[in-house]
Amino acid sequence: MRSLLFILAISTLAMGCASENKQNTMTQPSISKSHFGKTPGGQDADLFTLTNSNGVSVKISNYGGIITHLFVPDKNGTLEDVVLGFDSLQSYIDGHPFFGALVGRYGNRIAKGKFTLDGQTYTLHVNNGPNALHGGKVGFDKVVWDAKEIKGDSAVGLELTYLSKDMEEGYPGNLRVKVTYTLDNHNEIRIDYEATTDKPTVVNLTNHSYFNLTGLKRDILAHEVTINADTLVAVDDQLIPTGELIPVAGTPLDFTTPHAVGERIDDTTDVQVKYGGGYDHCWVLRKNNDGSLPQIASVYEPESGRLMEVFSTEPGVQFYTGNFLEGDVKGKGVTYTKRYGLCLETEHFPDSPNQPRFPTTVLRPGETYQTTTSYRFSVKK
């Protein structure tokens, strides 16, 4: 009997040691850096690859803070890239519709490229008809950021910093910006935005990734979208806010329950759908007062089983369905045709500097701009 107990004890100890060794040899999250190329001005651009213990990885360049690749598993465990973009730096430099980019100083549109702050009118570069869009001619998506790698036991990160000098693109104040991307072992990519200024200015930062959960195999019309919003920002035919917040109930813009993107996207009996050429609007998100990071949207792709849940502290999200992709851009061996990707750009409302009823985007000296957005990936079988 004693021999048997001794054998059991040794076996248990061996199993425990084997289990501990297995845990100790699990792949820890990692981050690596490679050279991505040089800008026309001769600056070196790098590409950072963040990989978690599950094999999920995201590639981010310090040129424009761009998410170039994002590999997540489908219901069979197959890892595939789920963001539109390119394999080379030159393709980004040649011009693109903000694939994966950090957008600033002001994400979305400012009417006629002008706003007045504290009695002074500022004139911006206009790059979207008569309006300013996504920071202007040389926004945050076209500059090289300083980069710092962050390593941890359960997550890795990339800290990007940039000084936007006073009157850059027409915006007042020296704006110091820090954006931190973090990938953890829950397959969640978190983006923390922070900024300070030495003069009153306006700030509205976001990321402009185009997602395609099929693994870039086909368009996004079968993706099922939910947005936790009962109203949206009404726009005119130039996609500039009218100042009115309108209910979505009973319209093709109601995503309070899941709907396939293609189900109602061409219902031009709705004037907002007509103006956007589909979905290209800012939804007014439901408020969360419990202090947690609220879930604001989700996207499910039925064939792959991939589910993306979006969380944010921002008051709005611009849901855009690639209506202006025209098939003249190709990347990763794929031609990006109309509605080949969708964006969920968490942000303050468009044209807020000219809309006093909207939540303010003014940042003053002594204040800190802080927002957080995260994208969590899983599967439904």
Side-chain angles (χ1 to χ4, degrees), residues 108-361:
N108 220 310
R109 294 171 176 85
I110 295 181
K112 299 180 181 178
K114 293 181 183 292
F115 68 93
T116 300
L117 177 59
D118 295 341
Q120 184 171 346
T121 298
Y122 296 93
T123 301
L124 313 173
H125 178 84
V126 294
N127 58 338
N128 183 242
N131 307 308
L133 175 68
H134 293 333
K137 185 176 181 180
V138 184
F140 289 178
D141 60 298
K142 297 179 182 69
V143 300
V144 176
W145 296 61
D146 292 328
K148 176 184 175 183
E149 299 177 23
I150 302 171
K151 299 178 181 179
D153 292 335
S154 59
V156 287
L158 180 67
E159 180 185 287
L160 300 175
T161 54
Y162 176 67
L163 172 61
S164 176
K165 293 183 179 180
D166 184 29
M167 299 311 296
E168 181 176 281
E169 290 297 313
Y171 292 92
N174 291 296
L175 189 76
R176 296 186 179 276
V177 186
K178 180 171 73 173
V179 179
T180 305
Y181 289 98
T182 306
L183 172 65
D184 67 17
N185 284 337
H186 299 292
N187 298 348
E188 185 166 347
I189 298 171
R190 177 178 171 125
I191 312 175
D192 290 289
Y193 304 87
E194 190 173 309
T196 58
T197 184
D198 61 0
K199 291 182 182 178
T201 191
V202 295
V203 187
N204 189 27
L205 307 180
T206 191
N207 177 273
H208 206 289
S209 287
Y210 288 67
F211 297 97
N212 183 319
L213 301 186
T214 70
L216 310 186
K217 294 183 177 72
R218 54 193 167 276
D219 62 37
I220 47 85
L221 295 178
H223 287 49
E224 298 175 6
V225 173
T226 306
I227 303 175
N228 296 330
D230 301 308
T231 57
L232 60 72
V233 178
V235 295
D236 63 18
D237 60 358
Q238 295 293 311
L239 298 179
I240 295 297
T242 64
E244 186 182 8
L245 305 181
I246 59 175
V248 298
T251 77
L253 300 134
D254 187 352
F255 285 92
T256 53
T257 57
H259 286 276
V261 172
E263 182 182 338
R264 305 164 299 172
I265 196 169
D266 291 319
D267 185 358
T268 54
T269 60
D270 185 282
V271 68
Q272 291 298 310
V273 174
K274 180 180 179 180
Y275 286 161
Y279 301 119
D280 191 7
H281 300 79
C282 185
W283 271 253
V284 180
L285 299 170
R286 295 170 182 163
K287 293 183 179 180
N288 184 343
N289 297 318
D290 64 5
S292 64
L293 187 63
Q295 181 175 341
I296 59 101
S298 66
V299 182
Y300 173 61
E301 202 287 301
E303 188 165 333
S304 69
R306 291 187 178 97
L307 174 67
M308 180 177 76
E309 298 168 286
V310 187
F311 304 79
S312 185
T313 58
E314 289 281 47
V317 62
Q318 186 84 7
F319 175 42
Y320 171 56
T321 47
N323 310 316
F324 301 114
L325 296 176
E326 298 177 347
D328 56 349
V329 178
K330 185 175 182 178
K332 305 177 184 178
V334 177
T335 299
Y336 299 133
T337 54
K338 186 176 182 178
R339 296 170 181 163
Y340 214 84
L342 64 82
C343 304
L344 287 164
E345 309 155 48
T346 56
E347 59 185 24
H348 274 57
F349 305 160
D351 200 35
S352 290
N354 295 312
Q355 300 284 349
R357 295 174 56 196
F358 288 0
T360 184
T361 55

Side-chain angles (χ1 to χ4, degrees), residues 9-24:
I10 292 296
S11 299
T12 302
L13 179 62
M15 289 173 65
C17 290
S19 175
E20 184 177 348
N21 288 336
K22 183 178 180 181
Q23 291 177 1
N24 289 337

Side-chain angles (χ1 to χ4, degrees), residues 25-32 49-59 69-74 77-82 153-156 183-189 306 377:
T25 58
M26 282 182 63
T27 303
Q28 282 194 319
S30 64
I31 180 171
S32 61
T49 302
L50 287 63
T51 307
N52 72 8
S53 298
N54 306 315
V56 169
S57 66
V58 58
K59 295 185 178 184
H69 299 74
L70 174 57
F71 292 89
V72 299
D74 67 4
T78 303
L79 291 165
E80 291 178 308
D81 193 0
V82 296
D153 292 335
S154 59
V156 287
L183 172 65
D184 67 17
N185 284 337
H186 299 292
N187 298 348
E188 185 166 347
I189 298 171
R306 291 187 178 97
F377 295 87

